[in-house]
């Protein structure tokens, strides 16, 4: 009889340790409460704008925490990551700060701005066809030849703990205000941000409900929550939320999220586009489609939030200029 090993998990102590590593390096992004948003939604609404983070998204947090853990004698071989853009930039910049070489495996149809920014941080970019090739296999082959360290985008304890520092900051700022959240809404692709933030929030506010936001059709977390085990979505084609196209939740991330999530919401590309425009016009923030999906779901009335205290994570702001011009028009 084969005994399966328990799936490792992330603790509040791991997130506290990550916060120490990131102190003075990552930006402590503010917790904002725009009156216009609260008026429109009929609730007390806070937003966490990770668009203001280094590299324009929360991904820098997990990447830097992971790379900092690599022993000095192993750093010369560099790191390899696979990403459609935000994790790519996070790893590239973290490697740049730590004096390491980074190779990033990116889909050939990733937004040009994300590819160019990744190169600008000094990374080597290897393109692949997301419909025909396996990005993880390509990354592991490169790492094997070079003796490099693979940096997963979400299913890694140190990456998740780093992302969780965003939730830790939210909790600290709410406690300083004497405010307790009813709902916290965060987007998910593989679920690393969601898992880390859920641990951080639920540690300090056990009664808070954690809600995952996904693009319509790319609802693998919603499906998995209903099934009680990981399930892939059945979406065909693309979504403008290019950062949220993972086929299935991660193993480690879902083990956390299945315990801590209270529900899931989705928004169509059209609704996400309107939310991007709303953020530009009313919040004065540049938010990429994947980063705006939680805001889109709330603006579309997907949740009963009247009179409640809500926190929305705006996870990133790296959007192609041409697409952004169309969306805000």
């Amino acid at each position: 009889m084969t005994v399966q090993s328990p799936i490792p998990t992330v603790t509040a102590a791991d997130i506290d340790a990550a916060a120490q590593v990131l102190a003075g390096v990552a930006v402590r992004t503010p917790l904002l409460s725009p009156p216009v948003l609260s008026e429109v939604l009929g609730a007390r609404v806070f937003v966490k704008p990770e668009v203001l983070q280094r590299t324009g998204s929360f991904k820098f947090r997990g990447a830097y925490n992971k790379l900092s853990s690599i022993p000095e004698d192993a750093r010369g071989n560099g790191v390899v990551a696979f990403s459609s853009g935000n994790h790519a930039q996070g790893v590239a910049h973290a490697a740049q700060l730590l004096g390491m070489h980074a190779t990033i495996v990116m889909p050939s149809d990733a937004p040009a701005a994300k590819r160019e920014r990744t190169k600008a941080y000094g990374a080597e970019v290897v393109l692949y066809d997301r419909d025909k090739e396996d990005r993880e296999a390509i990354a592991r082959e490169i790492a094997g030849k070079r003796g490099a360290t693979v940096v997963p985008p979400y299913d890694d304890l140190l990456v998740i703990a780093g992302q969780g520092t965003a939730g830790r900051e939210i909790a600290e700022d709410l406690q300083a205000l004497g405010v307790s959240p009813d709902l916290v809404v965060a987007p998910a692709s593989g679920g690393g941000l969601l898992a880390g933030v859920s641990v951080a929030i639920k540690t300090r506010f056990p009664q808070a409900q954690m809600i995952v936001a996904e693009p319509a059709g790319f609802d693998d977390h919603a499906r998995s929550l209903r099934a009680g085990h990981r399930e892939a979505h059945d979406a065909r084609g693309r979504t403008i939320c290019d950062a949220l196209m993972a086929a299935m939740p991660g193993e480690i991330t879902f083990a956390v999220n299945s315990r801590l999530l209270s529900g899931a919401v989705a928004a169509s590309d059209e609704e996400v586009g309107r939310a991007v425009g709303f953020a530009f016009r009313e919040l004065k923030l540049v938010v990429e489609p994947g980063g705006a999906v939680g805001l889109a779901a709330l603006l579309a009335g997907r949740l009963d939030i009247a009179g409640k205290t809500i926190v929305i994570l705006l996870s990133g702001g790296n959007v192609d200029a041409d697409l952004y011009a169309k969306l805000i028009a």
Side-chain angles (χ1 to χ4, degrees), residues 260-282:
L260 300 181
L261 293 186
S262 296
V265 291
S268 68
D269 277 2
E270 183 180 356
E271 290 165 341
V272 169
R274 287 199 293 268
V276 170
F278 180 92
F280 167 73
R281 289 187 299 274
E282 304 295 343

Side-chain angles (χ1 to χ4, degrees), residues 280-317:
F280 167 73
R281 289 187 299 274
E282 304 295 343
L283 308 183
K284 313 307 176 187
L285 292 171
V286 175
V287 186
E288 67 184 277
V293 68
L295 174 62
L298 291 180
L299 289 172
R302 297 286 185 272
L303 290 169
D304 177 14
I305 60 172
K308 297 179 180 178
T309 298
I310 317 297
V311 180
I312 310 170
L313 272 92
L314 304 177
S315 57

Side-chain angles (χ1 to χ4, degrees), residues 32-178:
L32 308 176
S33 184
V36 63
L37 190 54
S38 295
E39 291 165 6
V40 167
L41 293 176
R44 186 176 187 185
V45 184
F46 294 88
V47 295
K48 179 71 165 173
E50 280 294 287
V51 303
L52 303 177
Q53 186 54 256
R54 279 182 183 259
T55 72
S57 92
F58 72 94
K59 287 288 192 176
F60 175 78
R61 296 173 182 268
Y64 192 86
N65 192 48
K66 175 68 174 180
L67 268 62
S68 294
S69 75
I70 298 173
E72 291 284 348
D73 59 2
R75 293 185 180 184
N77 296 328
V79 295
V80 182
F82 42 93
S83 165
S84 64
N86 285 337
H87 181 61
Q89 293 175 77
V91 171
H93 189 37
Q96 181 184 56
L97 292 174
L98 293 167
M100 301 170 67
H101 178 74
T103 302
I104 314 295
V105 179
M106 299 184 72
S108 56
D109 62 351
K114 292 184 177 182
R115 296 200 308 269
E116 294 308 312
R117 287 292 299 275
T118 301
K119 292 178 183 178
Y121 289 122
E124 172 190 355
V125 172
V126 175
L127 300 178
Y128 77 100
D129 184 331
R130 75 164 89 218
D131 293 321
K132 299 178 181 178
E133 297 180 287
D134 184 338
R135 65 179 189 172
E136 293 189 40
I138 294 171
R140 295 190 188 285
E141 181 181 3
I142 294 171
K145 289 178 179 178
R146 301 179 182 178
T149 300
V150 174
V151 185
Y154 48 83
D155 225 18
D156 179 277
L157 295 177
L158 288 164
V159 170
I160 297 169
Q163 320 303 30
T165 60
R168 185 179 187 268
E169 291 171 11
I170 291 170
E172 289 177 342
D173 289 347
L174 288 174
Q175 286 178 326
L177 293 170

Side-chain angles (χ1 to χ4, degrees), residues 175-192:
Q175 286 178 326
L177 293 170
V179 174
S180 179
D182 295 304
L183 288 91
V184 177
V185 183
S189 182

